[in-house]
Amino acid sequence: MATQSNVGLGVAVEDFVSYAISIPRALDAIGAGALLACRQRIVLKLHLVNHSPHPITTPPACIEAIIDYIRSHGGAGIAVAEGSGDGNTGRAFRELGYEEMAARKGVELIDLDAQPFERFTNPRMGLLKEFYLPRAVLDCFLISVPVLKAHSMAKVTLAMKNMFGIAPARIYGGSAYKKARLHGRNNEELQQYIFELNQYRKPDLCVIDASIGMATAHLWGPQCEPPVNKILAGADPVAVDARGAELLGFDWRDIGHIRLANGVLGRAEPVP
């Protein structure tokens, strides 16, 4: 079967055939092997907002393909991590097949909400003048692996929004949602929270599973029809999210957190 890939702004957009085929092609296209070869510890940050199956959550087959790619380019220790926003992370690991996958592949499985954390401060932030980070995501090479989804509040949930899962539920939880304090009082604050959180810890590499896609919301509603049928990869989370937004039919300039991050955390388009 013929495939097509293209790379712009360091973002590979690869036709989806299978995870085992398309993820290595996307990672090769951006030279990811060199990024991974010298790492001692790599953490894969899943998107398991709850225990719903793919395409609402990242499937184990996607993560397995990344693990195999990492091991073909070095000897880093690998952990698979999440702090689910809705429901129990352990249940998501168990019901979605991550416990079995982790045992079979010999990787560590981490519930980020159960980890010790450290306090960081930045007086320049508007909303997050302090932020608590799990130690598990500090001294590592961090890969954000979301699925391609529209979002009922943030418009999209991609590589940067996926970082909400690192926020400790003990600090940022609420009655309805385990990261509720980061959603603010309105959409403008939510966009600002995503932007500021990523200034404390942005991903070092991003892989978006756009094999299917959620067309209108992150927990319900229709899947993309036809399926988007792509895998995205890049080291610049702003560029990756801008391309992901476009695949969902959005102009990245209309997505507050991508617009705020452009020129600060990365580039959504070339410098004139």
Side-chain angles (χ1 to χ4, degrees):
M1 180 178 181
T3 66
Q4 178 183 2
S5 63
N6 61 78
V7 180
L9 278 177
V11 180
V13 182
E14 175 73 31
D15 284 351
F16 180 75
V17 178
S18 69
Y19 295 113
I21 293 173
S22 301
I23 282 179
R25 286 177 175 171
L27 291 171
D28 280 344
I30 61 167
L35 291 175
L36 299 169
C38 59
R39 308 297 169 179
Q40 293 185 333
R41 183 170 178 269
I42 296 174
V43 175
L44 305 181
K45 165 61 177 72
L46 310 174
H47 181 84
L48 304 184
V49 62
N50 58 23
H51 59 276
S52 298
H54 182 254
I56 291 175
T57 55
T58 310
C62 176
I63 297 301
E64 285 195 57
I66 300 173
I67 291 170
D68 290 343
Y69 186 88
I70 292 169
R71 286 180 169 160
S72 72
H73 289 84
I78 302 171
V80 175
E82 179 59 301
S84 294
D86 178 23
N88 181 274
T89 305
R91 179 183 180 186
F93 284 157
R94 183 174 60 256
E95 294 193 8
L96 295 176
Y98 277 98
E99 288 185 350
E100 186 277 330
M101 185 276 291
R104 178 163 43 81
K105 303 299 285 188
V107 298
E108 184 182 5
L109 201 59
I110 299 175
D111 179 350
L112 292 171
D113 286 327
Q115 297 298 302
F117 47 79
E118 295 185 17
R119 177 178 176 267
F120 295 84
T121 62
N122 187 338
R124 294 175 297 173
M125 297 295 101
L127 296 174
L128 285 177
K129 295 189 184 299
E130 66 173 15
F131 189 66
Y132 292 83
L133 283 167
R135 291 175 188 164
V137 304
L138 295 180
D139 296 322
C140 69
F141 187 85
L142 185 61
I143 306 178
S144 180
V145 194
V147 282
L148 185 82
K149 298 195 297 185
H151 193 275
S152 58
M153 295 171 284
K155 290 192 176 180
V156 298
T157 175
L158 301 169
M160 287 190 285
K161 174 66 170 64
N162 188 41
M163 298 303 286
F164 266 32
I166 71 174
R170 285 170 283 176
I171 304 294
Y172 299 103
S175 58
Y177 183 64
K178 290 166 64 180
K179 320 292 176 177
R181 286 183 54 197
L182 294 175
H183 284 68
R185 297 168 295 181
N186 50 49
N187 182 264
E188 182 178 354
E189 285 194 356
L190 171 57
Q191 303 289 348
Q192 187 75 26
Y193 273 122
I194 299 169
F195 171 53
E196 292 187 7
L197 185 156
N198 276 268
Q199 291 187 71
Y200 282 98
R201 186 59 166 110
K202 69 176 182 177
D204 301 303
L205 183 66
C206 311
V207 178
I208 297 181
D209 176 2
S211 57
I212 299 178
M214 294 293 290
T216 61
H218 58 299
L219 291 174
W220 59 84
Q223 298 177 10
C224 292
E225 185 57 46
V228 176
N229 203 41
K230 302 290 182 185
I231 295 291
L232 280 67
D236 182 337
V238 182
V240 171
D241 279 7
R243 302 292 84 74
E246 290 168 359
L247 290 177
L248 287 167
F250 295 103
D251 185 327
W252 67 265
R253 298 165 189 83
D254 296 329
I255 311 296
H257 64 274
I258 302 178
R259 187 176 64 249
L260 289 166
N262 182 42
V264 179
L265 298 173
R267 288 280 178 186
E269 61 182 9
V271 179

